[in-house]
Amino acid sequence: MERVVAANEVAFSLGFTGHSGHLHLEPLHPVVRPNSLTSLPDFILPPAFPQETHERMRESIEENYFHPEVDLDEFSVQNSGRWWHYDWFDRAKIQLEPSEPRFIVAPMWELPFRRSKNSVIWNPHSVEVDITLLMEGAQELGSMPRMPGPPKEFVRGSTNNRPFRPGGLEGSQALQRSLPEGAHSGDWVHEVIHGGHAQNVPPSSKNGLDLGSLKEYTCQWTYTSQQIFPEKDSIDEGMNKHSVQFNYLFKKAWEEDIIEGSSGDGFNQDEIENEDAKVDDIPETLENTILSESSDAEAELGGQSAKAKNHDKEVWALLGGNDIIVDHFHELVPDMAIDFPFELDSFQKEAIYYLERGESVFVAAHTSAGKTVVAEYAFALASKHCTRAVYTAPIKTISNQKYRDFSGKFDVGLLTGDVSLKPEASCLIMTTEILRSMLYKGADIIRDIEWVIFDEVHYVNDAERGVVWEEVIIMLPSHVNIVLLSATVPNTIEFADWIGRTKQKKIRVTGTIKRPVPLEHCLFFSGGLFKICENDEFLPQGFKAVKEVYKKRKSNAVGGPSGVKHVASHFHGGGQPKQFDRSNRERSQKHSGHQNAQNSLNTSGNQHTSGLRRSESSLWLSLINKLSKNAQLPVVIFCFSKNRVDKSADNMTGTDLTSNSEKSEIRVFCDKAFSRLKGSDRNLPQVVRVENLLKRGIGVHHAGLLPIVKEVVEMLFCRGVIKVLFSTETFAMGVNAPARTVVFDTLRKFDGKDFRKLLPGEYIQMAGRAGRRGLDNIGTVVIMCRDEIPEESDLKQVMVGRPTRLESQFRLTYTMILHLLRVEELKVEDMLKRSFAEFHAQKNLPEKERLLLQKLRQSTKKIDCIKGEPTIEAYYEMASEAETYRRQIMEAILLLQSTQQLLSPGRLVIVKQLPAEDHLLGVVLKTPAAANKQYIILVLTTATASSMQASCPLNKIQENQSFQQGYFITPKGKRGTEEEYFSSITSRKGSGAINIKLPHYGSASGINYAVTEMENKDIISICNCKMKIDQVRLLEDASNIAYAKTVQELLKQKPDGNKFPPALDAVKDLKLKDMALVQMYHIYNEFLQNMSENKCHGCTKLNEHIMLMKEQSRHKEEVNALKFQMSDDALQQMPDFQGRIDVLKEIYCIDSDLVVQLKGRVACEMNSGEELICTECLFENQLDDLEPEEAVAIMSSLVFQQNNTTEPSLTPKLAYAKKRLYDTAIRLGQLQAQFKLSIDPVEYARDNLKFGLVEVVYEWAKGTPFADICELTDVPEGLIVRTIVRLDETCREFKNAASIMGNSSLYKKMETASNAIKRDIVFAASLYVTGV
């Protein structure tokens, strides 16, 4: 063999070795020279495998895969009665090499306070660990591990990647090994041993080989009464006598779900036994005490009742409040990852202790209580452990601000829709949507993440974006720990329990309800402040004082009548708005700064009470002067309208609240911040206007501001130079900037659909901005009252009421479905089951499974037929079907006009009596009135008088005492003659009143009768005969003679005493003409004919057997109902899921086997716009004939969100593209409605396509200055910038889609369009990121 020369004169010789003929490399000595002898191989063996032929391949496959062999020890006759635990595939004759090591030696982690203090350097003990335990955190979805992708996909991931296995998904049916049918229960063993059919279809295959039946193995099965779950004391002892050996209920998933969990969540026994005895500074019982308290807390949460303990002993949410951790914090955590310059609160110490133990934490506390400390410590731990931590926030502003706050302490990166800074950092701050995209696309960075911090968790209640939080929590892998930060909510434990059950890990719940700065709530009315609430306690005397002032002013009002109605139910001082002011700003007044001072929310009725009103400017001026005198500035004034914010600030003309030094500071800061703007952007009307307000100490903050202007206002407010800030509610959510005082302009808001009162949670969130920790002893909250004051009950509700509960907003989206369908091991049903909406239903599954087991164990009484083989099942089925048809037919017949005329008093009918459901003969005494829909019918009953009295309630018998003589037969000599009876019919005309108590029971001529009210459904049929009755003597002046005569006449109508009179024919007599009903009528008659021919008809035990069949049917229905409730079909959104699957098949995103196609892969890339519309737009080539500027202009309709804008002026080409895209949306809406989705096509198109900024974006892409494009529309400047920034993200998505489609021209067009819109003020860098 020739000598192989490597670098640096290192050479190797190659040879064959081993029976498999593997290559063998051996280094050569440098002095060895190649010659003929050394060039020969060491030795040459014959081929490792014989030559393959078709026959040998067939024999090998049949021998290894299709010849089942049973382990005689495992499946012996003696072991045949027990529950099977057998792994079929572990016994397969499959040679797998090379194999990976199953165990490795790894260091064992020890808590800091458990380590030895003798050495400075910690030397961990090494133990043998199963390699699967180490790889559990980054498990792939599938059997083969995935190699890391290219570096450019490390952070964002790719649709070509498979997501990591979500934590807690181990019990999913999609992840279970594909075992042969019946292998779990052992039924397959019966087939194999008794010579059944072989399993001829391999796993994951559709077809197999038909090998015929197996050879029978002679054996005898022995059944025992072994208890299957001996550790479950919740099952009744009597049930253990029954042996259910092969029942599908006993699956591993159920056993794991209901098995008794270990008490507490502390260290394991080995750690306790191996504790270093040299740790003398920690009490030996300290840890055990903490563990015992955790066990008590777990028992308290999980054991609300004995029943709850038995049914579900695993508690996932553990409530904090451990004083031992607080008292011995520095002993338990001696070496903190980061030191804080202040004393930690109790809940912060608890959270840090649990973070050190590697547990997930849920912190619920008020605003400014210090929840961020927990997030900082998670960042510090990630840096210490050389892992990564992710901080997610619902709003981009929070992400930018947190990036600035954490930049000086940690290695921080920022990932948002348009910014990507230092993605390789150990601490990443991103929006929740970015993290969801990373999880779905299987970004390799997920392997390194140790902590994910969810801030503002109560944002899960958001109807539009709350679903993102649930998706991320469900999709997180098991190695990721969770830190949740939330405001106080009433169902914290419930939400934490859901997360714990979903991720199969304990969640430690801690927090505080104590405010760092106490709040006082006041009403501002008539120039005075009236305190009505303090320390979360309502003060009735304060409200009474302001009420007295209101009454006095009202009585002294000039020209005001004394009897004016007090409309105190209006929260807003200006009254309840009758109509939302949707009027657009005039373009000429949009940037001028001149605003009308009239309150747009005031009703016209209040304009007549001008004596009680002040102008807006004087009202605000009086409030600010009062707050300034009381040293209660700065103040944040919340208004729930962008227009109202601007108008209120502009009304503060002549008000100057800053000193000369503060003016200088504001001017210098604004000059530095706005210096990055180019050209005319520096002199934009909004920039000039806001800068003038800031110099006087007044600021505005809402979504219509330019991003850079909004950040300037936020930073100056944090510096304390802005004294009065008019803002919308987004300031309370997106900016951490407390003030001395908070003012509510109104307690009503428009939520996009209608005006409503503020919710307690919303009020608390905004009111929490009052009071600066360390600066103020108390925070003040003021509610403005103009002409009216709110009701006391409304104020109590909003101030001291319970906050809004966390509710699931989970909904299915096409992107979610397609991402999950990309991976075979993930099922959409698993995502639905693990949503917060299905939490309680899934939590109750063990109880339903036990109930189902009990139902299956119940024995039903066997029906013994006296006529041979029983046919009662067929008879009962025919009777049930006939009854169904009869109800539908009679319901339609009784609505016919001809039927109404026939059902007059005196008409004989056949009715049904409950509960025995006997068919009884009766006569109509009175037809329904307009208010009463029931007939009054006299019925001949079969029960005796004594039994009727027993069945009738006591009070009814007492009420019927005046007619009790009707229960006895009148002597024959005292009965009236027939002439007397019928002569009374015409002797007196009745009033129509009913003077007897219904139901009325009696007996005449030896026959019992009852007068009762019956509905249409109780009438079986209408007879063809009619008799005379006396309504007056039967209903008004009750007479026993009349009842006796009526009963006798009814008996005469029976031909032979047993049969009923003939019924009216529905078609001939009742004139039934509906073709479908006539068809049903004929089918009904066929059922009756078949029933009469059945041998059970007329049997003496028919009624008894019918009752037994009803009991069996009811039992079967209950079992089926329980099975349905436990199945995937019972999920709330399963119908919506089926409809969306049909839609995706129809548009070829997936095929019939639910395999994602090319169009589906493209749809997975669409996140900023509606995925179906975007995908159809691309595949219909709607952008091919457009220039880049025109394409990006049309694409703006996918991301723009505001309604009611001015109609843009479009070119003919853009107008045609607009119509084409709108028609596509209408077609998709109609398709979804066709598949039973609750979507209106017009609303679907209107909600997802808004063309208000098409002209603006077109001009901007062409290079028009920003000041000029603002004049083309009435949309605020901030929304224009926000739309264009999101549009750049849409261009990137379309570019990625074009790459998947292979459309190079579209790829270049999107790249050109993205470069055209990325310029000037729209893409100015954030001040939080770059600094000032």
Side-chain angles (χ1 to χ4, degrees), residues 904-938:
S904 57
R907 174 64 62 179
L908 272 65
V909 292
I910 310 299
V911 298
K912 178 175 61 177
Q913 182 190 32
L914 294 176
E917 297 189 1
D918 293 334
H919 292 183
L920 306 175
L921 178 64
V923 60
V924 178
L925 301 183
K926 186 176 179 62
T927 56
N932 187 9
K933 301 299 182 182
Q934 293 181 326
Y935 292 88
I936 299 178
I937 301 176
L938 185 146

Side-chain angles (χ1 to χ4, degrees), residues 329 644 1208:
F329 175 72
R644 183 151 185 80

Side-chain angles (χ1 to χ4, degrees), residues 722-929:
I722 296 181
K723 310 301 180 182
V724 178
L725 178 63
F726 293 91
S727 172
T728 56
E729 60 182 320
T730 55
F731 184 82
M733 175 68 73
V735 184
N736 184 17
R740 173 64 180 83
T741 306
V742 165
V743 177
F744 287 89
D745 176 56
T746 174
L747 291 181
R748 295 180 63 86
K749 64 174 291 188
F750 185 77
D751 59 2
K753 298 179 180 179
D754 197 5
F755 281 95
R756 62 169 175 83
K757 301 174 184 177
L758 280 183
L759 300 174
E762 296 171 336
Y763 179 86
I764 292 173
Q765 177 76 20
M766 289 180 276
R769 295 301 177 188
R772 298 162 295 181
R773 189 171 188 175
L775 297 177
D776 303 322
N777 295 326
I778 193 169
T780 304
V781 182
V782 180
I783 299 174
M784 290 289 293
C785 299
R786 291 175 173 81
D787 297 336
E788 307 289 346
I789 59 176
E791 287 284 358
E792 181 178 0
S793 60
D794 294 334
L795 291 174
K796 286 183 179 179
Q797 171 65 22
V798 76
M799 291 180 181
V800 297
R802 288 173 61 85
T804 307
R805 292 171 51 85
L806 293 178
E807 300 288 347
S808 175
Q809 304 296 332
F810 189 86
R811 68 181 187 279
L812 280 173
T813 61
Y814 291 105
T815 302
M816 180 197 309
I817 295 174
L818 290 171
H819 274 300
L820 296 178
L821 290 179
R822 287 193 307 113
V823 185
E824 183 180 358
E825 293 83 1
L826 272 182
K827 293 177 60 179
V828 182
E829 292 86 343
D830 293 324
M831 181 73 79
L832 293 176
K833 287 179 183 178
R834 286 159 175 78
S835 67
F836 190 37
E838 298 286 346
F839 167 59
H840 292 289
Q842 297 298 313
K843 184 179 180 180
N844 295 330
L845 277 184
E847 168 63 21
K848 293 178 181 178
E849 289 172 344
R850 292 186 185 91
L851 183 58
L852 178 58
L853 177 60
Q854 295 175 6
K855 293 290 184 183
L856 292 175
R857 284 179 169 177
Q858 289 178 0
S859 60
T860 56
K861 188 175 180 181
K862 186 178 180 181
I863 299 177
D864 297 326
C865 182
I866 62 176
K867 296 186 178 182
E869 186 67 22
T871 59
I872 187 63
E873 292 86 357
Y875 187 88
Y876 180 76
E877 292 178 1
M878 289 188 293
S880 301
E881 290 287 339
E883 177 64 16
T884 302
Y885 283 113
R886 186 201 63 78
R887 289 180 180 178
Q888 298 180 12
I889 296 170
M890 287 302 300
E891 183 179 354
I893 287 176
L894 291 174
L895 296 177
L896 298 175
Q897 185 66 27
S898 58
T899 307
Q900 299 293 334
Q901 297 175 358
L902 290 173
L903 274 177
S904 57
R907 174 64 62 179
L908 272 65
V909 292
I910 310 299
V911 298
K912 178 175 61 177
Q913 182 190 32
L914 294 176
E917 297 189 1
D918 293 334
H919 292 183
L920 306 175
L921 178 64
V923 60
V924 178
L925 301 183
K926 186 176 179 62
T927 56

Side-chain angles (χ1 to χ4, degrees), residues 194-395:
H194 290 294
H197 290 282
Q199 298 289 335
N200 51 25
V201 180
S204 303
S205 300
K206 294 184 178 180
N207 300 314
L209 298 177
D210 187 5
L211 303 178
S213 300
L214 301 175
K215 182 179 179 180
E216 183 178 358
Y217 178 82
T218 305
C219 65
Q220 182 179 1
W221 293 89
T222 303
Y223 294 90
T224 65
S225 59
Q226 178 185 2
Q227 183 178 353
I228 296 175
F229 293 112
E231 71 276 8
K232 306 296 182 296
D233 53 359
S234 60
I235 301 179
D236 186 41
E237 295 181 358
M239 296 182 181
N240 295 330
K241 299 178 181 179
H242 305 280
S243 178
V244 183
Q245 304 297 335
F246 308 110
N247 194 294
Y248 73 96
L249 294 175
F250 297 95
K251 289 185 180 178
K252 185 178 179 181
W254 180 26
E255 294 176 344
E256 293 177 349
D257 190 49
I258 65 176
I259 193 168
E260 182 177 2
S262 58
S263 179
D265 195 28
F267 312 109
N268 56 40
Q269 189 67 23
D270 295 334
E271 290 178 339
I272 297 177
E273 293 176 356
N274 297 330
E275 183 177 3
D276 192 350
K278 298 181 180 181
V279 184
D280 300 326
D281 54 340
I282 300 178
E284 186 176 353
T285 61
L286 178 60
E287 181 181 349
N288 295 331
T289 306
I290 296 176
L291 293 177
S292 64
E293 291 203 0
S294 298
S295 301
D296 296 340
E298 183 173 348
E300 181 180 354
L301 291 174
Q304 301 297 332
S305 62
K307 182 177 179 180
K309 280 187 178 181
N310 291 334
H311 290 337
D312 196 4
K313 296 187 177 182
E314 192 73 18
V315 178
W316 300 102
L318 301 179
L319 188 61
N322 197 321
D323 295 334
I324 298 179
I325 297 177
V326 178
D327 297 337
H328 301 273
F329 175 72
H330 295 290
E331 300 175 8
L332 295 171
V333 191
D335 184 19
M336 294 183 62
I338 183 175
D339 295 324
F340 296 96
F342 51 85
E343 179 65 21
L344 297 175
D345 292 338
S346 298
F347 78 92
Q348 294 170 337
K349 292 180 179 179
E350 280 191 68
I352 289 174
Y353 168 74
Y354 292 128
L355 291 182
E356 282 282 357
R357 292 182 56 185
E359 298 186 37
S360 299
V361 178
F362 192 152
V363 181
H366 286 293
T367 304
S368 304
K371 299 187 293 291
T372 308
V373 170
V374 183
E376 289 187 32
Y377 201 84
F379 273 6
L381 281 178
S383 301
K384 182 179 180 180
H385 298 164
C386 298
T387 57
R388 299 180 191 269
V390 172
Y391 181 98
T392 68
I395 299 178

Side-chain angles (χ1 to χ4, degrees), residues 1158-1190:
L1158 176 63
K1159 185 181 283 189
R1161 290 184 56 199
V1162 170
C1164 289
E1165 296 287 344
M1166 305 302 166
N1167 296 315
S1168 55
E1170 212 284 332
E1171 51 269 31
L1172 295 189
I1173 298 178
C1174 295
T1175 305
E1176 289 297 307
C1177 173
L1178 291 177
F1179 277 84
E1180 291 177 358
N1181 300 322
Q1182 296 188 12
L1183 303 180
D1184 287 1
D1185 59 343
L1186 301 177
E1187 297 298 325
E1189 297 82 3
E1190 297 170 333

Side-chain angles (χ1 to χ4, degrees), residues 377-546:
Y377 201 84
F379 273 6
L381 281 178
S383 301
K384 182 179 180 180
H385 298 164
C386 298
T387 57
R388 299 180 191 269
V390 172
Y391 181 98
T392 68
I395 299 178
K396 180 182 176 182
T397 305
I398 302 180
S399 301
N400 293 337
Q401 190 176 31
K402 293 300 180 182
Y403 176 81
R404 183 194 64 174
D405 296 342
F406 292 147
S407 292
K409 302 178 182 179
F410 309 103
D411 179 25
V412 183
L414 179 64
L415 293 175
T416 59
D418 59 319
V419 176
S420 179
L421 296 176
K422 295 181 66 177
E424 73 282 356
S426 62
C427 303
L428 295 175
I429 299 174
M430 62 184 69
T431 57
T432 317
E433 284 79 4
I434 297 295
L435 180 56
R436 176 183 64 172
S437 177
M438 292 166 55
L439 290 170
Y440 278 136
K441 295 182 179 180
D444 289 312
I445 196 175
I446 301 296
R447 305 175 191 266
D448 303 336
I449 296 177
E450 182 183 9
W451 303 96
V452 171
I453 305 157
F454 293 95
D455 198 4
E456 308 288 350
V457 173
H458 50 274
Y459 203 82
V460 74
N461 281 341
D462 184 76
E464 293 296 327
R465 299 171 58 196
V467 60
V468 182
W469 293 75
E470 295 190 50
E471 287 184 73
V472 171
I473 291 174
I474 295 172
M475 290 295 297
L476 282 176
S478 58
H479 73 279
V480 179
N481 293 320
I482 302 173
V483 178
L484 301 113
L485 310 178
S486 171
T488 53
V489 291
N491 59 334
T492 305
I493 297 295
E494 178 188 11
F495 193 77
D497 192 20
W498 165 69
I499 296 176
R501 289 180 183 277
T502 302
K503 310 309 296 179
Q504 292 292 298
K505 60 174 60 179
K506 299 295 179 68
I507 307 294
R508 296 286 182 173
V509 180
T510 184
T512 179
I513 60 175
K514 180 182 177 182
R515 289 187 177 275
V517 180
L519 296 181
E520 62 176 7
H521 304 260
C522 305
L523 293 181
F524 181 75
F525 181 75
S526 186
L529 289 174
F530 300 88
K531 186 187 299 184
I532 61 172
C533 185
E534 187 175 16
N535 294 327
D536 295 333
E537 183 178 353
F538 194 80
L539 306 177
Q541 62 273 17
F543 183 78
K544 184 177 180 181
V546 70

Side-chain angles (χ1 to χ4, degrees), residues 886 908-913 917-923 937-942 1007-1008 1018-1026 1049-1064 1084 1088 1097 1103:
R886 186 201 63 78
L908 272 65
V909 292
I910 310 299
V911 298
K912 178 175 61 177
Q913 182 190 32
E917 297 189 1
D918 293 334
H919 292 183
L920 306 175
L921 178 64
V923 60
I937 301 176
L938 185 146
V939 181
L940 299 182
T941 61
T942 57
I1007 299 298
N1008 298 320
D1018 298 324
I1019 300 177
I1020 301 297
S1021 61
I1022 304 173
C1023 299
N1024 63 354
C1025 53
K1026 189 176 181 181
E1049 287 295 321
L1050 270 176
L1051 293 175
K1052 293 180 181 179
Q1053 301 299 328
K1054 290 189 175 183
D1056 55 0
N1058 293 324
K1059 299 288 185 178
F1060 295 131
L1064 292 173
Y1084 169 70
L1088 296 182
H1097 191 70
N1103 292 335

